[in-house]
Amino acid sequence: MTDRKFVTGQFRKMWASALIAMVGGLAILWCVHSSTASPLMGRADPQAPILTIRVDGNGTGRIFDGVGGLSAGAASRFLIDYPEPYQSQMLDYLFKPHYGASLQDLKVEIGGDTNSTWGSEPSHMHSRDDANFTRGYEWWLMREARKRNPKIVIEILPWGVPGWVGNYHFYSLDMIDYDLKFINAAHDVHGIDIDYLGIWNEIRYEKEWIKSLKAAVLRNNAAHHLHTQIVAADSVHEGWQLADDMLADLSLRKAVDAVGVHYPVYESTAAARRLMHGTNPVPLWDSEDTYLIYPGPPAGVLAKQLNRNYIQGKMTRLVHCTLAAAFPKFFPYKEGLVQATSPWPGHYEISPALWAIAHTTQFAQPGWQYLDSASGLLDDGKGNTIGSYVTLKAPNQSDYSIIIETADATTSQQINVLVASGLSSGPVHVWHSDIRAGTYFAREPDLPGGVNTLNLQPGSIYSLTTTTGQQKGDCGPPPADVPFPLPYADNFER
């Protein structure tokens, strides 16, 4: 998170020059072995171009690293105060696999006793001699996420620290020790292994300090049997500058396991895409982004980000800011997948953006491979981008999923899809969100092995897959919202 006035102003400027005419649309012709009419068959725009996508099991691409949610800046504060069963319902919608958002990554703030957006998160070390590893609610949230999904990736990142750290100099040996104490407490006290450690949220990095941090983390990993890696630099103003520095400095390149940038607007740089660790590309991540500062419905914005980040920037992870808007309702920037502003009656709301994420997370897991030759942008034949599609292949070399968004389309368009080279010829399961109609994550009739013509509607998200197990979780309606009960008294000791 950053100065939203600055970011919004900058991105409005970008979008003013980059907004495309919203015309065209999408339909899909599925070619496997024989001809079968699909119940979803419909008329396509006869003047729209027809694209053929070859889904080749021998195709290549980067490895998918998952979709995450951010808990930072006191955005999740009210979650822990919700009564049951409503607290568990929200957590299931966020973290339970094949149920809701099915988040594959959780990124939390290392509290620093400083205002970090919507409030302050408490430090585990108020002073050099203080150490409390149950203070705050991020420990609880990490445990709840791992309880629902033992495979979820956990990332941590500081926004600020108490002044005693480095005597007000953040990039210090004190700061390294401060980070390591949090990592070790997560493991020893809470049974949580931290997968990634960031350096400092949206603040200019120091190259030599990153190297020192990496060396200390490797020593700590060996001593405590951990596997923590480094993601840097969670930049917004510097963009992908760290990639240039890594290309010029081999020791820095070895110190950074993944490069994360905030609000990249689908794009990385050629230098970032050239970064390699041996024979493998260095992972590039959209390590903080949100639907709120882009034009359009939240579900459409997120669907575009998830697809186009990879197509245009080869970014393989997106962390959405935030997983919950769990703070007083008069606060601005309610960009959560769950809106949780009224714990007293247990009232909450699910954002349509949650189901946009489900269109990816319920159909591909970290470790699946993008197929570059079966991923791309859709256009209306006049140079206007109206949608996008990505294809991912499972490690079993048979199953695959295709995620398509037509967020900017106004009419339909045919696409021919040919599946080849050992990929499954079994039934293809179809899930659809119609953003304009406000219907999300609905199961459509399966496509049998054969030729099927799908009329994919404009303003839609589609997931097509040979896998099973997807579902739209439904806990029923939460309680109605009511005003805060007054009078109220609290001794503030809890």
Side-chain angles (χ1 to χ4, degrees), residues 373-448:
S373 60
S375 302
L377 300 173
L378 302 167
D379 69 72
D380 62 354
K382 302 173 185 177
N384 301 309
T385 300
I386 57 169
S388 63
Y389 58 96
V390 293
T391 304
L392 298 102
K393 178 181 67 172
N396 65 13
Q397 304 299 313
S398 176
D399 285 316
Y400 62 91
S401 295
I402 303 174
I403 298 98
I404 307 165
E405 57 84 10
T406 61
D408 295 330
T410 57
T411 61
S412 57
Q413 172 189 354
Q414 283 192 347
I415 296 181
N416 300 328
V417 177
L418 175 63
V419 180
S421 301
L423 293 176
S424 173
S425 60
V428 176
H429 313 296
V430 182
W431 292 74
H432 175 216
S433 290
D434 187 332
I435 299 169
R436 296 179 179 186
T439 57
Y440 296 96
F441 214 65
R443 179 75 182 268
E444 302 281 7
D446 289 351
L447 303 177

Side-chain angles (χ1 to χ4, degrees), residues 107-122:
K107 182 175 183 175
V108 305
E109 176 182 349
I110 303 175
D113 295 339
T114 182
N115 178 29
S116 50
T117 300
W118 294 276
S120 174
E121 299 209 9

Side-chain angles (χ1 to χ4, degrees), residues 15-34:
W15 279 99
S17 61
L19 277 177
I20 57 176
M22 296 191 291
V23 294
L26 179 62
I28 190 167
L29 179 63
W30 196 268
C31 304
V32 182
H33 293 108
S34 60

